[in-house]
Amino acid sequence: MEKIKAVRGTKDILPHEVNKWQFLENKAREIFSLYGYKEIRTPIFEEISLFVRGIGQGTDIVRKEMYVFDDRKGRKLCLRPEGTAGVMRAFLEHNLADNSITKLFYTGPMFRYERPQAGRYRQHTQIGVEAIGSAEPSLDAEVISLVYNYFILAGLENIQVELNSVGCEKCRGKYKDILKEALAKNVTAFCPDCQERFNLNVLRMFDCKIPECQNFLNEAPKITDAICPDCQAHLAEVKAHLDLLKINYKMNPRLVRGLDYYTRTTFEIIFSSLGSQNAIAAGGRYDKLIHELGGDEIPGIGFAMGVERIVLALDSIGKKWPEMSSLEVYNIAVGSQKAYEYLFELTNKFRQSGISCEIDHRQRSLKSQLKTADKLKAKRVIILGDQELEKGIVLLRSMNTGVQREIKFEELFDLVKKEVLP
RNA sequence: GUGGCUGUAGCUCAGUUGGUUAGAGUACAAGAUUGUGGAUCUUGUUGCCGCGGGUUCGAGUCCCGUCAGCCACCCCA
């Protein structure tokens, strides 16, 4: 029989490492709530058209990376490749708009059919944030400070914030025309990929890593110079507010995100030692997206973080992850069935009072049970054998100090309870 | 989707120019004290040598294919 393995690009998060994901999620809940964000959970599959309209028809994600399928009634569905579109759909569907800014966060799996690599999976976990209802540049800075502070508090310090503006609907279009005009005479000198990008989405040419292409682009007009006065002013205000918060950032006029919905501010958080998959969070403003999905003209801004990449980053700097919940009591019965039954019941009593407790069901030797207790990192052990049974006592052993006391049956439960839950 | 590297015990990895029953460390189990863990020592268990085909008297070792992981591109979190 051939073994069935996890499908390509997916992975199991095993019990000994799941605490890392839990830590990052809990940290997010804790910090996001300080900023007023409420959790939202949306389905992991949606209609294809949501992403075609939201992310954009010409993007790689929509063109070749979505897991699409028909359901039994022929509905055109797909696994969500990202979180923002679904959250916006829910925002519209349930009329979540109010006078103030609607602040939402989500966490969960995203799916993209890509060639797997370390830090790039076909199913990966994202934690994301959306702030809907304001076009104020100070909100951009607040959102960037949120990611930034999250990483600091999670213990990841060597991060880089990269910032850019891709302009608004109007001036971006103009810039694209200017850029095309400037590059047109040399198109054939670019690499085949770039030539395709030239027609599909000129802006993406900036992402090319081939030196020859970059040389041409160095002479091309910069987007930050070409955007309209309003967008310039917006960017200037974002920078001013970031300075106010003392957040270091680097302008990167080549930072062009691969999702069409971005307008004005775009940013990325880089952890450079991760190799080519070094963006651990990214986001930007999307002032036209909600309108694009059939709503009013409501501006918004958000970002998403890649949990698996953050785990890689934190592991690489030797992060000490919080231990999983420890075991308070390990019950060891030796010899008679009567001792086992007594402890079996006691185990249940401890658990009912909220004290973690474990017992060996196999009646093994005292030695091997103690070894197990040690491996489970039990704080204390209760030993009950024939000798103790006769005297009406148990042995209460502290696993840290090795100190062992004789405790009467009738005092045992309250004494342990007092120690564990003071 | 393109190019490259790798694939041997649960984990980390040896395995000589193809040669007989495939190794180490670690982990696991038992024992060294017939009722006392963490250290040390002893012993033991664990392998479709990723999968399929080919060359050969003989393949973990060579060749082809395939699958998977990794690296770069691409893309992105």
Side-chain angles (χ1 to χ4, degrees):
Chain A
M1 278 283 267
E2 210 167 299
K3 277 187 214 157
I4 299 175
K5 296 183 293 180
V7 316
R8 184 159 153 90
T10 69
K11 66 173 211 151
D12 300 309
I13 300 167
L14 299 171
H16 71 270
E17 54 183 356
V18 77
N19 59 323
K20 300 173 182 178
W21 276 255
Q22 288 169 344
F23 168 79
L24 291 172
E25 279 167 24
N26 293 340
K27 206 61 173 178
R29 291 205 166 83
E30 179 190 320
I31 292 164
F32 293 174
S33 82
L34 297 177
Y35 286 76
Y37 287 84
K38 301 267 191 287
E39 183 166 359
I40 183 169
R41 301 191 186 189
T42 66
I44 62 167
F45 60 95
E46 298 266 4
E47 282 183 32
I48 292 176
S49 53
L50 172 66
F51 300 105
V52 175
R53 281 161 66 183
I55 302 173
Q57 197 141 32
T59 60
D60 280 24
I61 294 180
V62 168
R63 281 166 60 224
K64 43 194 185 193
E65 294 178 3
M66 290 206 296
Y67 279 90
V68 302
F69 60 97
D70 289 5
D71 75 1
R72 286 169 190 263
K73 277 276 171 69
R75 296 179 186 92
K76 303 287 179 199
L77 307 177
C78 67
L79 298 178
R80 62 181 184 195
E82 59 101 52
T84 301
V87 171
M88 292 312 127
R89 195 222 77 235
F91 172 85
L92 282 175
E93 192 168 334
H94 306 286
N95 252 315
L96 297 183
D98 54 31
N99 289 331
S100 64
I101 301 170
T102 307
K103 292 179 162 181
L104 302 169
F105 81 90
Y106 60 85
T107 160
M110 305 297 163
F111 305 84
R112 288 179 207 169
Y113 190 92
E114 296 179 277
R115 182 127 167 202
Q117 221 172 299
R120 185 165 76 179
Y121 306 98
R122 290 183 175 178
Q123 173 177 342
H124 72 280
T125 315
Q126 283 189 14
I127 300 175
V129 148
E130 314 292 349
I132 311 158
S134 167
E136 290 301 320
S138 53
L139 180 61
D140 303 31
E142 184 188 289
V143 165
I144 292 170
S145 78
L146 170 55
V147 220
Y148 186 82
N149 289 338
Y150 174 83
F151 284 123
I152 300 304
L153 289 164
L156 194 64
E157 304 224 332
N158 271 321
I159 56 170
Q160 241 177 43
V161 181
E162 298 203 341
L163 183 69
N164 192 24
S165 172
V166 294
C168 61
E169 280 289 283
K170 293 170 226 157
C171 61
R172 180 169 30 176
K174 275 185 203 152
Y175 173 67
K176 279 185 180 176
D177 292 341
I178 294 171
L179 192 60
K180 272 198 160 181
E181 217 182 294
L183 297 174
K185 51 182 189 288
N186 289 326
V187 231
T188 48
F190 283 90
C191 70
D193 281 340
C194 278
Q195 296 191 33
E196 200 189 332
R197 292 187 192 110
F198 181 83
N199 294 317
L200 222 55
N201 183 356
V202 228
L203 293 180
R204 294 217 58 80
M205 288 175 77
F206 281 116
D207 282 343
C208 190
K209 283 167 192 162
I210 297 168
E212 287 78 38
C213 296
Q214 286 299 332
N215 283 337
F216 284 116
L217 290 165
N218 280 333
E219 279 148 46
K222 279 187 184 168
I223 189 162
T224 37
D225 298 330
I227 54 178
C228 66
D230 284 353
C231 288
Q232 298 264 21
H234 184 93
L235 178 60
E237 280 297 300
V238 174
K239 288 165 144 183
H241 282 88
L242 285 174
D243 292 338
L244 215 53
L245 299 175
K246 305 211 168 37
I247 289 175
N248 265 319
Y249 60 87
K250 204 178 89 194
M251 284 308 293
N252 178 1
R254 305 201 158 160
L255 179 67
V256 179
R257 318 250 57 252
L259 293 81
D260 281 354
Y261 54 61
Y262 286 119
T263 53
R264 293 189 164 170
T265 309
T266 59
F267 60 94
E268 229 169 63
I269 314 293
I270 307 285
F271 187 77
S272 48
S273 59
L274 280 187
S276 59
Q277 258 60 54
N278 61 5
I280 52 175
R285 184 163 271 291
Y286 42 80
D287 291 342
K288 294 286 169 224
L289 174 59
I290 292 172
H291 183 64
E292 204 67 39
L293 295 175
D296 296 336
E297 292 246 349
I298 304 172
I301 178 167
F303 68 82
M305 311 188 283
V307 179
E308 285 75 13
R309 287 183 187 177
I310 300 170
V311 169
L312 287 175
L314 283 168
D315 276 339
S316 79
I317 59 166
K319 162 92 181 167
K320 289 203 176 63
W321 300 94
E323 290 280 321
M324 316 229 190
S325 55
S326 57
L327 183 60
E328 295 292 347
V329 187
Y330 190 86
N331 283 332
I332 298 180
V334 192
S336 74
Q337 180 69 13
K338 221 172 163 185
Y340 172 76
E341 279 168 8
Y342 179 83
L343 290 181
F344 183 69
E345 197 200 332
L346 184 67
T347 304
N348 189 47
K349 248 175 103 180
F350 277 136
R351 289 170 176 166
Q352 283 179 331
S353 345
I355 296 167
S356 59
C357 185
E358 200 50 77
I359 188 169
D360 192 311
H361 293 278
R362 290 175 297 173
Q363 317 250 14
R364 292 145 75 223
S365 72
L366 174 60
K367 190 182 184 116
S368 42
Q369 291 197 59
L370 267 165
K371 272 190 180 176
T372 307
D374 187 50
K375 234 179 312 177
L376 295 174
K377 295 199 171 80
K379 287 185 187 151
R380 56 183 74 68
V381 148
I382 290 170
I383 302 168
L384 179 57
D386 296 334
Q387 295 166 28
E388 291 78 22
L389 209 57
E390 257 175 54
K391 292 198 269 180
I393 56 154
V394 303
L395 300 176
L396 181 61
R397 180 184 179 84
S398 157
M399 292 298 274
N400 290 333
T401 63
V403 174
Q404 202 161 280
R405 290 172 289 166
E406 297 193 345
I407 311 290
K408 289 180 186 147
F409 279 179
E410 56 272 22
E411 291 167 5
L412 177 63
F413 183 77
D414 289 335
L415 191 136
V416 172
K417 195 170 165 184
K418 216 168 153 188
E419 269 183 26
V420 178
L421 314 163

